[in-house]
Amino acid sequence: MVNSGRSVPAVVCLANLCVALCVGALKPDVVLENSATTLNHSMVLVQRMEALLTQGNGSDVSLRVQTLNTDEVKVIQVHSLVLTLQSDMFEELLQTRNSTAMVLRETPDCAAVFDKFIRYLYCGDITVRLNQAIPLHKLASKYHVWDLQQGLTQYMTQHLSSDSPTGHVVAWYQYATQIGDVSLQNSCLQYLSWNLSSVLQSAEWSSVSPELMLSLLQRSDLVLQSELELYEALEAWINQNQPSGETAENALKAIRYAMISPRHLFHLQKKSSLMLKYYESVRDLLFLAFQFHSASPVQLAKYLDVNCSLFTPRNYLSPAWGSPWVINNPTRDDRSFSFQTQLGPSGCDASKRVTWNALFSPRWLPLSVRSAYPEQGSLQPTRTDGGRPRIIVTPATSSPDFAGVSFQKTIIVSARKQGKVVVRHVYNFHQSTEEAGDFLLEADLQRRASEYLIDSSLYLHIIVKPLYHSLIVAKK
């Protein structure tokens, strides 16, 4: 390690390295006439650059990384040429320094990974752990190392499902919100929404901020067992975090009580300490929920607006709302499957059942083409070489009870990522159609290692959400 003013200039040191590399590369190879050969010894150069950093040869700058609010100082011998080539921020700092030493003050988490950050500037590669993503991203942003910043954003987006002792997605979401990274923020929010049932059971749930909690509760695409599960998780969160009274009230008002059975609503009224404390804030919502369950939705719509979020189901995984469907070897042939759901969330419709037929084909013509079939209206799939995976869900029978009800279908596709089964994609059918036009549009089911498959099987969960017809208008 060289610290004196007589050290070898960094430019000379790097130039010597390049010359040595070129000379070593040309000796063993003979270039034939009228031919071109590409010699790639980039790994040798990377190794020599790493050695240059480790040994401090030719260093002309001493970085003193001081951890804020402590006496801890980490000293790293660096070369100004390397830093200025990688970062315009370092170039500015180096131009204004008064000596060969430069003091940088960093937070404890950033100081802990600063040597890893500097190594990236020399070698162009970095090994990242889940708990290092945020501090490294902070350093890349602070010193304008944009390639590293973008790479870390991509890393976080691709590792949302990785296991960690206390969880990391909530922290990444809050960090993305803080720095204004809308893309990462939306990726985290979507992951939390689609895998909420498992998140509710994890240690990460208690770290959810009030703002994130309210954002989640407003969404209809939450994937969880039931609305009751969501209420119980919210109660646990409020009891542990003790938010302000206003936050607790707003969160409780976002629960869709009409999606909870009257039996469980009665239980909450009498046994839930949270409900007893905030009963006056949600009393009107509970009253509406009991009205919803006691009267026919068609009759209720004469007096109330049944098209609001209170009466809209989320993506519930309980058997009353749909069924799982595992398709082994999904590229082999067509499949069919039948299941039942309750007619609607209202207490008047809960005992009524609807039988559904699901058809899947790995190569299927869209419905718009089937009008030319000899048997008009046939739902039999046709195999074509240019087709792609299709799924269609239709009721097996019709009933007068269907009047005033629209059925929105949702297909959940699960996959294994980083050894963990998570929701890979959610496809929603438009209410007026019987199939999802974008279903597995980009999936390659031919590959055994396809990210849409688990052990060569397609894991689906079909959900049918009854929505009371939008044409029913409440009387004013």
Side-chain angles (χ1 to χ4, degrees):
M1 185 174 297
V2 180
N3 294 307
S4 68
R6 293 176 296 176
S7 59
V8 180
V11 176
V12 175
C13 182
L14 291 177
N16 290 338
L17 282 176
C18 294
V19 170
L21 176 62
C22 293
V23 172
L26 291 175
K27 284 183 178 179
D29 296 278
V30 178
V31 180
L32 300 178
E33 186 177 357
N34 298 326
S35 66
T37 301
T38 299
L39 305 179
N40 185 357
H41 298 100
S42 57
M43 288 307 300
V44 175
L45 180 58
V46 169
Q47 292 170 3
R48 293 181 179 179
M49 290 292 290
E50 184 173 14
L52 186 67
L53 172 64
T54 303
Q55 299 169 10
N57 295 335
S59 169
D60 60 341
V61 178
S62 177
L63 295 182
R64 299 180 60 83
V65 184
Q66 180 178 342
T67 304
L68 292 176
N69 302 320
T70 70
D71 295 330
E72 182 181 349
V73 177
K74 182 184 297 184
V75 180
I76 307 175
Q77 301 298 140
V78 296
H79 306 79
S80 58
L81 176 62
V82 177
L83 269 58
T84 56
L85 285 174
Q86 297 280 37
S87 164
D88 60 353
M89 182 58 67
F90 269 126
E91 181 179 12
E92 181 179 339
L93 292 173
L94 289 167
Q95 288 176 349
T96 58
R97 78 185 194 278
N98 296 322
S99 65
T100 57
M102 186 166 63
V103 178
L104 302 174
R105 295 175 176 84
E106 304 293 344
T107 57
D109 59 338
C110 290
V113 296
F114 202 89
D115 50 352
K116 185 184 288 281
F117 169 67
I118 292 297
R119 182 191 176 280
Y120 172 84
L121 301 183
Y122 278 75
C123 303
D125 68 81
I126 192 168
T127 300
V128 184
R129 298 183 184 277
L130 295 174
N131 62 344
Q132 297 172 337
I134 289 179
L136 285 171
H137 195 282
K138 288 179 181 178
L139 291 173
S141 302
K142 178 178 179 178
Y143 294 103
H144 299 182
V145 184
W146 305 125
D147 288 344
L148 178 59
Q149 183 198 60
Q150 294 172 8
L152 289 165
T153 299
Q154 186 178 12
Y155 166 85
M156 287 189 275
T157 302
Q158 294 174 348
H159 286 77
L160 295 172
S161 59
S162 296
D163 282 324
S164 55
T166 58
H168 55 278
V169 181
V170 170
W172 288 358
Y173 170 85
Q174 292 171 173
Y175 174 68
T177 303
Q178 175 186 344
I179 64 174
D181 190 330
V182 177
S183 177
L184 178 59
Q185 181 181 347
N186 290 338
S187 295
C188 293
L189 189 57
Q190 177 180 279
Y191 175 86
L192 293 171
S193 300
W194 287 0
N195 298 277
L196 188 60
S197 194
S198 61
V199 173
L200 298 181
Q201 308 301 322
S202 69
E204 193 169 18
W205 178 244
S206 62
S207 66
V208 170
S209 66
E211 294 75 18
L212 175 55
M213 176 64 70
L214 294 175
S215 295
L216 288 170
L217 291 174
Q218 300 299 324
R219 296 173 69 103
S220 294
D221 65 341
L222 302 182
V223 177
L224 68 167
Q225 292 298 319
S226 66
E227 195 73 17
L228 180 60
E229 180 188 32
L230 183 59
Y231 176 87
E232 292 173 344
L234 175 60
E235 183 173 33
W237 180 85
I238 291 177
N239 289 336
Q240 183 166 354
N241 290 276
Q242 295 296 313
S244 66
E246 181 182 2
T247 297
E249 289 180 4
N250 289 335
L252 286 168
K253 288 178 181 178
I255 293 293
R256 302 181 182 183
Y257 297 100
M259 299 298 111
I260 302 176
S261 69
R263 177 170 63 90
H264 287 111
L265 287 176
F266 277 122
H267 180 80
L268 293 180
Q269 279 187 298
K270 299 299 182 181
K271 300 297 183 180
S272 170
S273 59
L274 184 67
M275 181 66 72
L276 293 173
K277 182 178 180 179
Y278 292 99
Y279 178 74
E280 292 300 320
S281 301
V282 298
R283 180 179 58 182
D284 292 344
L285 294 175
L286 291 173
F287 181 66
L288 283 174
F290 282 119
Q291 284 185 312
F292 175 76
H293 286 299
S294 61
S296 164
V298 176
Q299 294 298 319
L300 190 64
K302 295 178 180 180
Y303 308 98
L304 298 173
D305 180 9
V306 296
N307 299 305
C308 62
S309 61
L310 178 63
F311 306 115
T312 301
R314 307 186 203 261
N315 291 328
Y316 303 125
L317 299 174
S318 59
W321 302 90
S323 176
W325 187 14
V326 179
I327 303 176
N328 299 317
N329 299 318
T331 60
R332 189 181 62 196
D333 50 27
D334 305 335
R335 316 293 171 87
S336 63
F337 175 67
S338 296
F339 63 98
Q340 286 189 329
T341 63
Q342 65 186 44
L343 175 61
S346 166
C348 293
D349 291 335
S351 61
K352 301 173 184 177
R353 292 290 179 265
V354 180
T355 300
W356 299 90
N357 291 330
L359 299 174
F360 170 82
S361 176
R363 292 177 296 279
W364 198 347
L365 284 177
L367 287 176
S368 58
V369 180
R370 296 179 196 161
S371 59
Y373 294 173
E375 183 180 352
Q376 295 296 322
S378 172
L379 299 181
Q380 180 65 31
T382 297
R383 305 294 287 267
T384 64
D385 291 337
R388 60 179 179 79
R390 295 273 177 171
I391 191 168
I392 181 170
V393 180
T394 57
T397 58
S398 60
S399 169
D401 292 331
F402 289 8
V405 182
S406 296
F407 298 102
Q408 178 178 321
K409 278 83 71 176
T410 296
I411 307 295
I412 295 175
V413 181
S414 297
R416 182 177 288 119
K417 299 191 69 176
Q418 287 89 44
K420 183 178 179 181
V421 176
V422 298
V423 174
R424 176 66 177 80
H425 212 296
V426 175
Y427 298 93
N428 294 306
F429 293 41
H430 190 274
Q431 295 179 21
S432 62
T433 64
E434 297 172 328
E435 65 174 308
D438 61 343
F439 179 66
L440 297 177
L441 184 62
E442 299 179 356
D444 183 4
L445 302 182
Q446 299 288 342
R447 291 191 303 110
R448 292 179 60 87
S450 171
E451 58 185 2
Y452 287 84
L453 300 178
I454 300 177
D455 299 328
S456 302
S457 297
L458 186 62
Y459 278 67
L460 308 178
H461 195 112
I462 305 176
I463 298 174
V464 178
K465 295 191 286 188
L467 303 174
Y468 293 108
H469 209 283
S470 59
L471 294 179
I472 299 177
V473 180
K475 289 187 176 181
K476 303 297 183 184

PDB file of all heavy atoms in Angstrom, residues 86-106:
ATOM      1  N   GLN A  86     -16.063   6.252 -13.606  1.00  0.00           N
ATOM      2  CA  GLN A  86     -17.313   5.597 -13.255  1.00  0.00           C
ATOM      3  C   GLN A  86     -18.364   6.545 -12.700  1.00  0.00           C
ATOM      4  O   GLN A  86     -19.557   6.229 -12.730  1.00  0.00           O
ATOM      5  CB  GLN A  86     -17.051   4.497 -12.205  1.00  0.00           C
ATOM      6  CG  GLN A  86     -16.163   3.372 -12.685  1.00  0.00           C
ATOM      7  CD  GLN A  86     -16.934   2.374 -13.526  1.00  0.00           C
ATOM      8  OE1 GLN A  86     -17.810   2.749 -14.285  1.00  0.00           O
ATOM      9  NE2 GLN A  86     -16.621   1.105 -13.366  1.00  0.00           N
ATOM     10  N   SER A  87     -17.954   7.696 -12.166  1.00  0.00           N
ATOM     11  CA  SER A  87     -18.903   8.551 -11.461  1.00  0.00           C
ATOM     12  C   SER A  87     -18.569  10.023 -11.646  1.00  0.00           C
ATOM     13  O   SER A  87     -17.474  10.462 -11.282  1.00  0.00           O
ATOM     14  CB  SER A  87     -18.910   8.204  -9.969  1.00  0.00           C
ATOM     15  OG  SER A  87     -19.508   9.212  -9.197  1.00  0.00           O
ATOM     16  N   ASP A  88     -19.499  10.781 -12.198  1.00  0.00           N
ATOM     17  CA  ASP A  88     -19.276  12.219 -12.325  1.00  0.00           C
ATOM     18  C   ASP A  88     -19.309  12.906 -10.964  1.00  0.00           C
ATOM     19  O   ASP A  88     -18.714  13.961 -10.761  1.00  0.00           O
ATOM     20  CB  ASP A  88     -20.281  12.843 -13.277  1.00  0.00           C
ATOM     21  CG  ASP A  88     -21.734  12.658 -12.821  1.00  0.00           C
ATOM     22  OD1 ASP A  88     -21.978  11.937 -11.839  1.00  0.00           O
ATOM     23  OD2 ASP A  88     -22.626  13.232 -13.473  1.00  0.00           O
ATOM     24  N   MET A  89     -19.996  12.301 -10.012  1.00  0.00           N
ATOM     25  CA  MET A  89     -20.027  12.864  -8.666  1.00  0.00           C
ATOM     26  C   MET A  89     -18.652  12.736  -8.006  1.00  0.00           C
ATOM     27  O   MET A  89     -18.165  13.673  -7.371  1.00  0.00           O
ATOM     28  CB  MET A  89     -21.080  12.159  -7.817  1.00  0.00           C
ATOM     29  CG  MET A  89     -21.218  12.711  -6.393  1.00  0.00           C
ATOM     30  SD  MET A  89     -21.619  14.479  -6.369  1.00  0.00           S
ATOM     31  CE  MET A  89     -23.266  14.446  -7.064  1.00  0.00           C
ATOM     32  N   PHE A  90     -18.018  11.576  -8.161  1.00  0.00           N
ATOM     33  CA  PHE A  90     -16.657  11.418  -7.636  1.00  0.00           C
ATOM     34  C   PHE A  90     -15.697  12.370  -8.356  1.00  0.00           C
ATOM     35  O   PHE A  90     -14.773  12.912  -7.742  1.00  0.00           O
ATOM     36  CB  PHE A  90     -16.186   9.975  -7.796  1.00  0.00           C
ATOM     37  CG  PHE A  90     -16.491   9.106  -6.605  1.00  0.00           C
ATOM     38  CD1 PHE A  90     -17.192   7.924  -6.748  1.00  0.00           C
ATOM     39  CD2 PHE A  90     -16.072   9.471  -5.338  1.00  0.00           C
ATOM     40  CE1 PHE A  90     -17.478   7.119  -5.656  1.00  0.00           C
ATOM     41  CE2 PHE A  90     -16.341   8.675  -4.236  1.00  0.00           C
ATOM     42  CZ  PHE A  90     -17.062   7.491  -4.384  1.00  0.00           C
ATOM     43  N   GLU A  91     -15.906  12.555  -9.632  1.00  0.00           N
ATOM     44  CA  GLU A  91     -15.037  13.471 -10.382  1.00  0.00           C
ATOM     45  C   GLU A  91     -15.118  14.879  -9.803  1.00  0.00           C
ATOM     46  O   GLU A  91     -14.098  15.553  -9.615  1.00  0.00           O
ATOM     47  CB  GLU A  91     -15.453  13.488 -11.850  1.00  0.00           C
ATOM     48  CG  GLU A  91     -14.595  14.393 -12.720  1.00  0.00           C
ATOM     49  CD  GLU A  91     -15.012  14.362 -14.174  1.00  0.00           C
ATOM     50  OE1 GLU A  91     -16.100  13.825 -14.472  1.00  0.00           O
ATOM     51  OE2 GLU A  91     -14.263  14.873 -15.016  1.00  0.00           O
ATOM     52  N   GLU A  92     -16.316  15.315  -9.468  1.00  0.00           N
ATOM     53  CA  GLU A  92     -16.493  16.649  -8.883  1.00  0.00           C
ATOM     54  C   GLU A  92     -15.859  16.737  -7.503  1.00  0.00           C
ATOM     55  O   GLU A  92     -15.188  17.726  -7.171  1.00  0.00           O
ATOM     56  CB  GLU A  92     -17.985  16.966  -8.810  1.00  0.00           C
ATOM     57  CG  GLU A  92     -18.307  18.337  -8.241  1.00  0.00           C
ATOM     58  CD  GLU A  92     -19.801  18.609  -8.214  1.00  0.00           C
ATOM     59  OE1 GLU A  92     -20.544  17.943  -8.976  1.00  0.00           O
ATOM     60  OE2 GLU A  92     -20.233  19.487  -7.420  1.00  0.00           O
ATOM     61  N   LEU A  93     -16.065  15.707  -6.690  1.00  0.00           N
ATOM     62  CA  LEU A  93     -15.490  15.712  -5.347  1.00  0.00           C
ATOM     63  C   LEU A  93     -13.965  15.699  -5.384  1.00  0.00           C
ATOM     64  O   LEU A  93     -13.298  16.382  -4.593  1.00  0.00           O
ATOM     65  CB  LEU A  93     -16.005  14.497  -4.563  1.00  0.00           C
ATOM     66  CG  LEU A  93     -17.489  14.495  -4.193  1.00  0.00           C
ATOM     67  CD1 LEU A  93     -17.883  13.149  -3.582  1.00  0.00           C
ATOM     68  CD2 LEU A  93     -17.806  15.625  -3.229  1.00  0.00           C
ATOM     69  N   LEU A  94     -13.392  14.928  -6.299  1.00  0.00           N
ATOM     70  CA  LEU A  94     -11.937  14.826  -6.390  1.00  0.00           C
ATOM     71  C   LEU A  94     -11.306  16.124  -6.874  1.00  0.00           C
ATOM     72  O   LEU A  94     -10.189  16.457  -6.490  1.00  0.00           O
ATOM     73  CB  LEU A  94     -11.557  13.663  -7.309  1.00  0.00           C
ATOM     74  CG  LEU A  94     -11.831  12.264  -6.748  1.00  0.00           C
ATOM     75  CD1 LEU A  94     -11.729  11.208  -7.847  1.00  0.00           C
ATOM     76  CD2 LEU A  94     -10.868  11.946  -5.605  1.00  0.00           C
ATOM     77  N   GLN A  95     -12.015  16.843  -7.714  1.00  0.00           N
ATOM     78  CA  GLN A  95     -11.479  18.100  -8.228  1.00  0.00           C
ATOM     79  C   GLN A  95     -11.426  19.186  -7.161  1.00  0.00           C
ATOM     80  O   GLN A  95     -10.625  20.121  -7.261  1.00  0.00           O
ATOM     81  CB  GLN A  95     -12.316  18.575  -9.422  1.00  0.00           C
ATOM     82  CG  GLN A  95     -12.123  17.758 -10.682  1.00  0.00           C
ATOM     83  CD  GLN A  95     -13.051  18.199 -11.807  1.00  0.00           C
ATOM     84  OE1 GLN A  95     -13.978  18.978 -11.593  1.00  0.00           O
ATOM     85  NE2 GLN A  95     -12.796  17.693 -13.014  1.00  0.00           N
ATOM     86  N   THR A  96     -12.288  19.070  -6.151  1.00  0.00           N
ATOM     87  CA  THR A  96     -12.357  20.113  -5.123  1.00  0.00           C
ATOM     88  C   THR A  96     -11.647  19.731  -3.830  1.00  0.00           C
ATOM     89  O   THR A  96     -11.703  20.482  -2.861  1.00  0.00           O
ATOM     90  CB  THR A  96     -13.834  20.420  -4.810  1.00  0.00           C
ATOM     91  OG1 THR A  96     -14.496  19.215  -4.381  1.00  0.00           O
ATOM     92  CG2 THR A  96     -14.538  20.978  -6.034  1.00  0.00           C
ATOM     93  N   ARG A  97     -10.981  18.575  -3.783  1.00  0.00           N
ATOM     94  CA  ARG A  97     -10.310  18.153  -2.555  1.00  0.00           C
ATOM     95  C   ARG A  97      -9.026  18.952  -2.353  1.00  0.00           C
ATOM     96  O   ARG A  97      -8.402  19.416  -3.308  1.00  0.00           O
ATOM     97  CB  ARG A  97     -10.027  16.652  -2.583  1.00  0.00           C
ATOM     98  CG  ARG A  97      -8.837  16.241  -3.418  1.00  0.00           C
ATOM     99  CD  ARG A  97      -8.720  14.721  -3.483  1.00  0.00           C
ATOM    100  NE  ARG A  97      -7.441  14.273  -3.998  1.00  0.00           N
ATOM    101  CZ  ARG A  97      -7.120  14.190  -5.268  1.00  0.00           C
ATOM    102  NH1 ARG A  97      -8.003  14.542  -6.189  1.00  0.00           N
ATOM    103  NH2 ARG A  97      -5.919  13.769  -5.637  1.00  0.00           N
ATOM    104  N   ASN A  98      -8.626  19.082  -1.092  1.00  0.00           N
ATOM    105  CA  ASN A  98      -7.434  19.863  -0.753  1.00  0.00           C
ATOM    106  C   ASN A  98      -6.216  19.002  -0.458  1.00  0.00           C
ATOM    107  O   ASN A  98      -5.116  19.523  -0.283  1.00  0.00           O
ATOM    108  CB  ASN A  98      -7.729  20.756   0.464  1.00  0.00           C
ATOM    109  CG  ASN A  98      -8.795  21.792   0.152  1.00  0.00           C
ATOM    110  OD1 ASN A  98      -8.820  22.332  -0.947  1.00  0.00           O
ATOM    111  ND2 ASN A  98      -9.670  22.065   1.125  1.00  0.00           N
ATOM    112  N   SER A  99      -6.424  17.684  -0.345  1.00  0.00           N
ATOM    113  CA  SER A  99      -5.300  16.798  -0.032  1.00  0.00           C
ATOM    114  C   SER A  99      -5.562  15.441  -0.668  1.00  0.00           C
ATOM    115  O   SER A  99      -6.564  15.240  -1.375  1.00  0.00           O
ATOM    116  CB  SER A  99      -5.148  16.658   1.489  1.00  0.00           C
ATOM    117  OG  SER A  99      -6.279  16.002   2.035  1.00  0.00           O
ATOM    118  N   THR A 100      -4.646  14.494  -0.417  1.00  0.00           N
ATOM    119  CA  THR A 100      -4.821  13.151  -0.963  1.00  0.00           C
ATOM    120  C   THR A 100      -5.854  12.350  -0.190  1.00  0.00           C
ATOM    121  O   THR A 100      -6.218  11.246  -0.609  1.00  0.00           O
ATOM    122  CB  THR A 100      -3.484  12.390  -0.930  1.00  0.00           C
ATOM    123  OG1 THR A 100      -3.005  12.350   0.426  1.00  0.00           O
ATOM    124  CG2 THR A 100      -2.459  13.072  -1.822  1.00  0.00           C
ATOM    125  N   ALA A 101      -6.330  12.879   0.936  1.00  0.00           N
ATOM    126  CA  ALA A 101      -7.366  12.199   1.726  1.00  0.00           C
ATOM    127  C   ALA A 101      -8.711  12.890   1.502  1.00  0.00           C
ATOM    128  O   ALA A 101      -8.794  14.120   1.431  1.00  0.00           O
ATOM    129  CB  ALA A 101      -7.000  12.206   3.207  1.00  0.00           C
ATOM    130  N   MET A 102      -9.760  12.086   1.367  1.00  0.00           N
ATOM    131  CA  MET A 102     -11.098  12.629   1.174  1.00  0.00           C
ATOM    132  C   MET A 102     -12.050  11.944   2.161  1.00  0.00           C
ATOM    133  O   MET A 102     -12.142  10.710   2.199  1.00  0.00           O
ATOM    134  CB  MET A 102     -11.572  12.393  -0.265  1.00  0.00           C
ATOM    135  CG  MET A 102     -12.913  13.056  -0.572  1.00  0.00           C
ATOM    136  SD  MET A 102     -13.259  13.129  -2.355  1.00  0.00           S
ATOM    137  CE  MET A 102     -13.338  11.391  -2.755  1.00  0.00           C
ATOM    138  N   VAL A 103     -12.751  12.732   2.961  1.00  0.00           N
ATOM    139  CA  VAL A 103     -13.653  12.219   3.991  1.00  0.00           C
ATOM    140  C   VAL A 103     -15.067  12.121   3.417  1.00  0.00           C
ATOM    141  O   VAL A 103     -15.587  13.087   2.852  1.00  0.00           O
ATOM    142  CB  VAL A 103     -13.644  13.119   5.236  1.00  0.00           C
ATOM    143  CG1 VAL A 103     -14.634  12.595   6.271  1.00  0.00           C
ATOM    144  CG2 VAL A 103     -12.244  13.213   5.820  1.00  0.00           C
ATOM    145  N   LEU A 104     -15.670  10.941   3.572  1.00  0.00           N
ATOM    146  CA  LEU A 104     -17.054  10.707   3.139  1.00  0.00           C
ATOM    147  C   LEU A 104     -17.852  10.250   4.346  1.00  0.00           C
ATOM    148  O   LEU A 104     -17.453   9.320   5.049  1.00  0.00           O
ATOM    149  CB  LEU A 104     -17.105   9.643   2.039  1.00  0.00           C
ATOM    150  CG  LEU A 104     -16.287   9.923   0.779  1.00  0.00           C
ATOM    151  CD1 LEU A 104     -16.329   8.714  -0.153  1.00  0.00           C
ATOM    152  CD2 LEU A 104     -16.804  11.160   0.056  1.00  0.00           C
ATOM    153  N   ARG A 105     -18.956  10.874   4.610  1.00  0.00           N
ATOM    154  CA  ARG A 105     -19.796  10.527   5.751  1.00  0.00           C
ATOM    155  C   ARG A 105     -21.013   9.756   5.272  1.00  0.00           C
ATOM    156  O   ARG A 105     -21.788  10.245   4.442  1.00  0.00           O
ATOM    157  CB  ARG A 105     -20.199  11.788   6.513  1.00  0.00           C
ATOM    158  CG  ARG A 105     -19.020  12.510   7.152  1.00  0.00           C
ATOM    159  CD  ARG A 105     -19.420  13.821   7.800  1.00  0.00           C
ATOM    160  NE  ARG A 105     -18.281  14.436   8.492  1.00  0.00           N
ATOM    161  CZ  ARG A 105     -17.373  15.184   7.887  1.00  0.00           C
ATOM    162  NH1 ARG A 105     -17.461  15.418   6.588  1.00  0.00           N
ATOM    163  NH2 ARG A 105     -16.360  15.693   8.579  1.00  0.00           N
ATOM    164  N   GLU A 106     -21.169   8.552   5.814  1.00  0.00           N
ATOM    165  CA  GLU A 106     -22.240   7.663   5.370  1.00  0.00           C
ATOM    166  C   GLU A 106     -23.020   7.119   6.565  1.00  0.00           C
ATOM    167  O   GLU A 106     -22.494   7.010   7.674  1.00  0.00           O
ATOM    168  CB  GLU A 106     -21.667   6.494   4.559  1.00  0.00           C
ATOM    169  CG  GLU A 106     -20.830   6.897   3.355  1.00  0.00           C
ATOM    170  CD  GLU A 106     -21.639   7.577   2.259  1.00  0.00           C
ATOM    171  OE1 GLU A 106     -22.891   7.461   2.285  1.00  0.00           O
ATOM    172  OE2 GLU A 106     -21.023   8.217   1.399  1.00  0.00           O
TER     173      GLU A 106
END
